[in-house]
Structures are given as C-alpha cells and as structure tokens.
Amino acid sequence: MKICMIGTGYVGLVVGACLAEMGHEVICVDNNPAKISALLSGQLPIYEPGLERLVERNVLESRLSFSLDISESVAQSQFIFIAVGTPPAEDGSADLTYVMKAVEQIGASIRDYAIVITKSTVPIGSSERIRGIIEEQLKNRGLTDLEFDIVSNPEFLREGAAVNDFLNPNRIVVGSSNPRALAYMEKLYLPLTSKGFPIVHMDIASAELAKYASNAMLATRISFMNEMAGICEAVGADIERVRQGMELDHRIGHYFLSAGVGYGGSCFPKDVRAIIQSATERNIPTHILEAVDKVNHKQKQKLFEMVVGHFGEDLKGLRLAVWGLSFKPETDDIREAPSIETIEQLRKRGVQIQVHDPVALQNAYQALGEENITYFTGLYQALMDADALLIFTEWKQYRSADLGRIKNLLKQPVLFDGRNLFNPYMMKEEGFVYQSIGRMK
C-alpha cells in the first residue's frame, strides 16, 4: 500500500521505516531541506536504537523514500499520516499550527479517495477540525464529491525502544466510525495483526483521549513514587525497598515505579498539561493531573537543592561534573530534561559544568551553548578536577562505572545520584558522600 508520512521526527521516521519494513511503499516528507538532504545521504536526524539499519535496508529495497514535495507525495498515496510536532503553547495546550498546515496541504493535494491518519498527539475534537479544513480545500478546488476518511491512530512508542514497540505493539488503537476506513486500517496493519498483536477499534474521540490518558497514567505513577520518596527521606525509609514491597502486587506491577529527578521528554510533560488545558476549557476539574505536574516540576529541583544543601548558597567558582543529559537512556532527546534545567540554574550561580552523555552532546550544545560548560566524549574525562558528580540519566555505562576511578578523579568524593544507580550502603563504605532520591544519606 502507498503511504505518505508527513513529518520525519521521532514519530514520523520510526513509523515510516517500520511500515516500510512491513512491506508497504512509504514516502516520508518534510519541509526542512536540511533534514531531507541528510536522510537522502543516509544520515538520521535522531538517535534511536535499530532505526539506522531499518532505514538503510528499506531504502535499498525501494520501499522507503524521502521528499520535500508534500503535494506530489500526498497525491500519489492512499494513506496519509500526519506525524508533525505538537509543541506546548503558552497556556499548556497543544499547538496545532504544524498539524493544520499539513492538513491544508493535504486538502490542496489529494486526487482520489484517501485516509488521513493522525499520528501526532492532538486534543479531543481535532479530527473534526481537520475534516472541516480538508472539506473547505476540496470545495475551493471544485471537488466536493471527492471522498476521504479521518482516522485517529495514536502512537505508543517509547523513545529508546520505538522500533521494537511499533513492530511488537501491546495494542494498535484505531479510531473511526466509518466501516470503510476501519477495513482499510485492518489491511494496513495485517502484517502485525496476523502475528497476534491486537487492534482495537473505537470512536475518534476515544482514540484521541487514549493516548493522553495512557501518558497521564504513567506520569502519575512517576510523580506518585517521587512523592513517596520524599516521605521516605523524612521518616528514614528506603524508596527502593518500598518499591519492592509494592511491585510484587500483581495489581500494581513494577513498571514506572522508580523514584528519580522527574520525567521529561516530548510526551509526558506536554501531554499532561494539554489534557489539563483541554479539561479546563470544558470546566472539568483535574486535581490529580495538576498535582502530577506540580510534583514533577518540584522533583526536577532535587539535585540543585542537594548541591546547595552540601556546598551552601554561594556556588560561585564550583566545578561540577554531570553525567547524562537526555531525559532517559537510549535517546538523544533533551526536551524538558531535568539535567538541562539544573545546568541552567547552576551556571547562573557561577558554577563551571563538565558534561558527558553518550549521544545527546550535540543537542545539549545547541540548547545550552558554551557559557560555563565544557563537553566531554569520555565519561571519566568529565570528572577531572570536579568538586562533585551529578547523575541525571540511567545509562548502563554509568551504572557499571568504576567507583574507585570516580573517587580518584573527583576533588572530593561527592556524588548526587538522580536515578538511584548505586547502593547507598556500599557507597558509604567506599567513602563517598552520596545522596540519592528517597534513600539514606
């Protein structure tokens, strides 16, 4: 089947490559010439494990291509996916500027029956707005009889595991009230459903909300555990042991129960705020979600507070090492990462920062620049002459790092661990001043 994927970011590129891997003919389009030029030369604009090989293979087998020509790509495709960004607006709602611009181009370009599919995370009611814009474009072209369908097909991909998540989904959610559109979507996903992966049909509004609800639930678990970690610190309990006592309850399970410095990335922060804003517009209270967002905002201050608590209010002249810049491991995404916010706070106080991350250095450099920051490709190099080490991302190489080497390279053995990578009792025996989240000091 012929597919046009509008947008080549984390979602569009992964979904496009995976659909090509399933045997479909996919054109990924973008209005960014530099991005398309890089893709045509085999360079990916994002880091995602397994994606580079997938793209290379499907380009070689002529199932995946890239183009700047959105009009022609839309015109020759039956399935048109919208996978552009929906960044947060000032009021917390999802900014649909890029989505609606893509919709206008779709309405101006389709020639035959097509299915317009929203992969971008959009607020409830967006599909009707999309339908209206396309109908208006067709009316302007004198094509009021040209039929099309709108489908909500939200993505549930984890950055760092997106390829595997798409090809081995927990579920495929398809929102539409039109049997014709549902039948086409069944054919599209047949390579997956034939292997036993479930497809769930529902109305469009429910499909739109399903994505927000899923992310909000996961964010709630994270903020809940971070709140429990604060209680642990106050009463002398250990959050890791509390977690162990919870996760064996089958009603709870072990996913998203780790305490830390809060969640970041492109989904959880903006989706929680967007659903709050959407509910507020309808006069529906969101006490739980507002608390989730508030707890997360406070949690991102934890390592900064640890530094101030240990070194005092005057931090000028301090040199600190930072391990981990991305909001989670196996991605180069630094959007709303706790590390970035903390670094900004520290350098305003005159702190010199030495940072390391396996893949996110370039993105961090673009966001932070050079003021009071030195970037290192070697994790131990970043420790040289530093007064303390701060850990923000649970990369495997940090968890398995040589503690003796860390201790020798730092001016003093001080470690602030935002991801609870080490056993505090062992760290104390090793001679470290060690602070983590919800555990003993």
Side-chain angles (χ1 to χ4, degrees):
M1 296 185 176
K2 292 191 174 183
I3 298 167
C4 172
M5 184 67 60
I6 303 177
T8 58
Y10 282 91
V11 174
L13 191 56
V14 169
V15 174
C18 287
L19 287 169
E21 182 73 5
M22 289 160 54
H24 301 301
E25 185 178 331
V26 182
I27 305 173
C28 288
V29 297
D30 204 291
N31 62 2
N32 186 327
K35 187 179 285 189
I36 292 298
S37 177
L39 286 166
L40 289 171
S41 64
Q43 298 176 352
L44 271 59
I46 60 171
Y47 174 81
E48 183 65 39
L51 182 59
E52 187 173 6
R53 292 192 301 273
L54 201 67
V55 169
E56 182 180 5
R57 177 166 63 249
N58 283 281
V59 168
L60 286 174
E61 295 179 6
S62 301
R63 289 193 298 266
L64 181 64
S65 59
F66 305 100
S67 175
L68 284 167
D69 192 339
I70 294 179
S71 295
E72 184 57 32
S73 300
V74 165
Q76 60 183 281
S77 301
Q78 185 172 26
F79 295 86
I80 304 163
F81 282 84
I82 301 172
V84 297
T86 54
E90 289 186 6
D91 62 359
S93 62
D95 184 348
L96 300 183
T97 301
Y98 301 117
V99 171
M100 296 310 163
K101 185 174 181 180
V103 171
E104 289 177 0
Q105 291 174 306
I106 292 169
S109 305
I110 55 174
R111 299 172 185 168
D112 300 297
Y113 170 74
I115 302 173
V116 179
I117 305 158
T118 54
K119 268 292 180 190
S120 301
T121 303
V122 296
I124 304 164
S126 297
S127 292
E128 287 309 306
R129 185 178 168 190
I130 289 170
R131 181 182 299 280
I133 291 174
I134 294 176
E135 287 177 346
E136 183 65 24
Q137 290 287 331
L138 293 177
K139 181 180 178 181
N140 293 339
R141 296 169 60 197
L143 298 174
T144 53
D145 292 335
L146 199 159
E147 295 185 341
F148 66 94
D149 281 313
I150 305 293
V151 170
S152 175
N153 179 214
E155 54 86 14
F156 300 95
L157 308 178
R158 298 167 297 163
E159 288 186 36
V163 171
N164 182 69
D165 284 351
F166 188 93
L167 296 175
N168 299 277
N170 297 135
R171 77 291 200 196
I172 303 164
V173 172
V174 174
S176 175
S177 57
N178 190 318
R180 173 178 58 180
L182 293 174
Y184 273 110
M185 295 300 289
E186 288 272 7
K187 291 180 181 179
L188 180 72
Y189 282 112
L190 186 60
L192 296 180
T193 57
S194 63
K195 296 179 181 178
F197 297 114
I199 188 167
V200 184
H201 295 159
M202 59 185 70
D203 59 277
I204 288 180
S206 296
E208 289 173 338
L209 183 55
K211 172 59 187 289
Y212 280 114
S214 294
N215 281 353
M217 172 57 77
L218 297 175
T220 300
R221 287 171 70 98
I222 294 171
S223 284
F224 174 82
M225 289 305 290
N226 284 332
E227 201 162 79
M228 291 299 104
I231 297 174
C232 285
E233 291 171 3
V235 304
D238 187 327
I239 190 62
E240 287 300 299
R241 292 180 177 178
V242 172
R243 177 182 60 79
Q244 291 167 11
M246 294 172 60
E247 66 182 12
L248 295 178
D249 187 325
H250 292 176
R251 296 168 301 174
I252 298 174
H254 66 277
Y255 294 107
F256 288 82
L257 285 187
S258 296
V261 285
Y263 57 77
S266 62
C267 292
F268 287 7
K270 75 177 182 66
D271 288 356
V272 168
R273 293 171 200 148
I275 195 171
I276 290 171
Q277 181 62 26
S278 182
T280 300
E281 291 170 357
R282 295 167 172 82
N283 296 316
I284 300 170
T286 54
H287 304 305
I288 293 175
L289 293 179
E290 288 172 41
V292 168
D293 189 47
K294 188 178 296 184
V295 169
N296 191 61
H297 177 73
K298 184 176 184 298
Q299 199 68 17
K300 289 184 178 183
Q301 310 300 314
K302 289 290 287 186
L303 263 61
F304 176 77
E305 292 170 358
M306 288 179 183
V307 171
V308 172
H310 182 81
F311 292 103
E313 290 289 338
D314 185 5
L315 303 178
K316 190 172 182 180
L318 201 65
R319 184 178 297 274
L320 298 176
V322 169
W323 277 2
L325 298 167
S326 58
F327 82 95
K328 62 178 287 188
E330 302 302 333
T331 180
D332 61 353
D333 194 345
I334 61 167
R335 285 174 286 184
E336 300 218 31
S339 62
I340 304 302
E341 295 186 26
T342 303
I343 288 171
E344 291 279 25
Q345 288 179 297
L346 289 170
R347 68 179 181 177
K348 286 179 183 178
R349 298 286 194 98
V351 178
Q352 296 293 322
I353 314 291
Q354 301 177 170
V355 302
H356 172 270
D357 188 282
V359 300
L361 288 180
Q362 184 61 40
N363 285 347
Y365 180 81
Q366 292 175 354
L368 295 170
E370 298 180 348
E371 182 184 354
N372 290 3
I373 302 178
T374 309
Y375 299 85
F376 291 90
T377 55
L379 71 164
Y380 292 109
Q381 289 177 306
L383 303 179
M384 294 290 293
D385 297 321
D387 293 289
L389 168 62
L390 287 67
I391 301 178
F392 285 94
T393 315
E394 58 269 41
W395 286 98
K396 292 178 182 178
Q397 49 264 64
Y398 300 159
R399 191 182 295 275
S400 60
D402 185 331
L403 294 178
R405 195 171 177 185
I406 294 174
K407 187 176 178 181
N408 290 332
L409 289 170
L410 293 172
K411 282 184 182 178
Q412 44 191 318
V414 180
L415 199 160
F416 304 114
D417 185 357
R419 296 300 176 185
N420 292 351
L421 299 188
F422 305 110
N423 184 307
Y425 303 97
M426 177 188 69
M427 295 298 286
K428 188 174 182 179
E429 289 181 358
E430 292 285 338
F432 279 89
V433 175
Y434 178 75
Q435 293 186 40
S436 52
I437 308 296
R439 311 192 78 182
M440 65 166 281
K441 292 186 179 180

